Amino acid sequence: MRIGQYEVSTVVTSRFGLDGGSMFGVIPKSIWGKDAVPDSSNRIPLVTRSLLIRGGGKVILVDTGNGDKWDGKMRDILATDPTETNLTGALAQHGVTPDDVTEVICTHLHFDHAGGNTRLEGSETIPTFPNATYHLHRENWEWAMSPTEKDQGSYRSENWEAIAENGMFSFVEGEDGILDEIGLRLTHGHTPGQMHPILTEGDTTLYFAGDLFPTRLHFRLPCIMAFDNEPLKTLKEKREVLERAVEEKWAVVLAHDPDCEAVNVAADGDRFRIEKEFTLD
Ligand SMILES: [Zn+2]
């Protein structure tokens, strides 16, 4: 999809599984289990989907997925196999090498969004994208430094220490845009300072939903992940974003849906529904 000076594509950087109950919060399995069929450990199939934005001399990657630093035990828990689907392989399919990437936009530092920020070289953890500036919201950085006992398992310092040590972070303050023609909307219910890049040209708007709407099932307002720190805040943020998305016909890109990369949404009385599913190609 072309938006202004940028060509925008989606890239699936890993496949993995998370507990279905955690993913859908208060929604019972009798409802979600028909659409997201769990395995024998109750894990539902998910992907990590990044945005690749190219133009104006820049190669911009939004989120880096699970990465490949996992040991055998964690690969098993997360049902992930980086030898099958991985970040560098997925970028190579678009003709992009790690050296080409000039900017990484981290929506937030949860491991399934920032795991590919770094990689192992021998026993050393190094930045995956040596020529990139990594953009992160200041509020999320501060939270990642001292998460709560509820969410500390999602924040793993091996995904950012090497970036910080090499002075490669650029911290976003307030609701300033990130780069030329790439705006920003923030949410805080999932985790403080989650950044959602937004690109607009004329009537076309593309919004990266990150962990606000991880899959198509999350457009039901009460379907909020158990991972969220402040679910009622998420509820309010979902409604605000959806109202705007309906009015302005946003293309909403889904970070974790295994079978759908983008949707348009429509209002349906007090609720919202998916009007159209599509790819950005
Ligand atoms: Zn998250």
Side-chain angles (χ1 to χ4, degrees):
M1 180 185 257
R2 183 107 207 149
I3 303 184
Q5 64 178 315
Y6 295 117
E7 186 62 36
V8 186
S9 322
T10 63
V11 183
V12 169
T13 63
S14 69
R15 296 182 181 279
F16 71 126
L18 290 174
D19 185 88
S22 307
M23 284 301 293
F24 301 119
V26 297
I27 307 296
K29 190 175 181 178
S30 56
I31 293 179
W32 60 255
K34 294 187 209 91
D35 297 310
V37 180
D39 67 10
S40 58
S41 298
N42 209 44
R43 293 169 301 197
I44 60 158
L46 297 166
V47 299
T48 56
R49 182 174 287 109
S50 292
L51 280 183
L52 177 64
I53 305 170
R54 287 176 283 188
K58 290 189 163 32
V59 177
I60 304 158
L61 186 62
V62 178
D63 279 349
T64 61
N66 277 303
D68 55 9
K69 299 189 297 300
W70 302 106
D71 62 20
K73 183 181 162 206
M74 282 306 293
R75 284 182 192 199
D76 204 32
I77 290 172
L78 292 171
T80 194
D81 182 358
T83 63
E84 278 187 8
T85 306
N86 61 65
L87 177 58
T88 47
L91 288 175
Q93 288 177 6
H94 290 264
V96 172
T97 70
D99 286 356
D100 296 334
V101 175
T102 59
E103 329 283 330
V104 175
I105 295 173
C106 306
T107 59
H108 60 304
L109 288 179
H110 281 169
F111 66 72
D112 55 330
H113 293 257
N117 283 359
T118 58
R119 65 179 178 85
L120 286 171
E121 192 168 75
S123 59
E124 203 188 344
T125 303
I126 63 169
T128 305
F129 304 102
N131 302 317
T133 298
Y134 288 69
H135 302 266
L136 174 71
H137 201 273
R138 172 87 63 191
E139 285 183 43
N140 195 250
W141 170 254
E142 284 168 2
W143 189 268
M145 293 302 100
S146 55
T148 66
E149 283 136 323
K150 178 179 185 297
D151 63 342
Q152 63 188 8
S154 297
Y155 284 104
R156 302 169 71 101
S157 62
E158 68 263 29
N159 295 329
W160 64 75
E161 273 171 354
I163 313 294
E165 280 162 13
N166 285 285
M168 296 167 80
F169 271 123
S170 170
F171 293 111
V172 179
E173 315 276 351
E175 296 214 38
D176 295 346
I178 305 170
L179 293 161
D180 280 353
E181 296 177 29
I182 300 185
L184 164 67
R185 291 178 72 93
L186 285 177
T187 59
H188 305 282
H190 176 64
T191 192
Q194 179 178 198
M195 299 202 295
H196 304 271
I198 186 163
L199 288 88
T200 302
E201 185 196 26
D203 291 342
T204 305
T205 296
L206 181 140
Y207 171 84
F208 189 72
D211 275 343
L212 186 65
F213 303 105
T215 76
R216 283 166 293 178
L217 300 177
H218 292 87
F219 289 95
R220 291 165 188 261
L221 289 173
C223 185
I224 293 170
M225 292 190 287
F227 302 112
D228 286 28
N229 283 335
E230 297 195 65
L232 291 180
K233 201 178 265 186
T234 300
L235 180 65
K236 185 166 170 277
E237 292 168 344
K238 283 173 73 166
R239 185 176 279 286
E240 284 167 2
V241 168
L242 284 170
E243 282 170 358
R244 197 75 194 270
V246 168
E247 203 176 301
E248 299 175 9
K249 295 191 168 42
W250 290 1
V252 179
V253 176
L254 307 177
H256 293 305
D257 195 301
D259 302 311
C260 175
E261 62 181 74
V263 298
N264 292 134
V265 285
D268 194 354
D270 240 12
R271 302 178 183 190
F272 298 90
R273 63 176 169 79
I274 291 169
E275 189 171 56
K276 191 174 132 199
E277 300 177 9
F278 55 96
T279 63
L280 301 192
D281 298 335

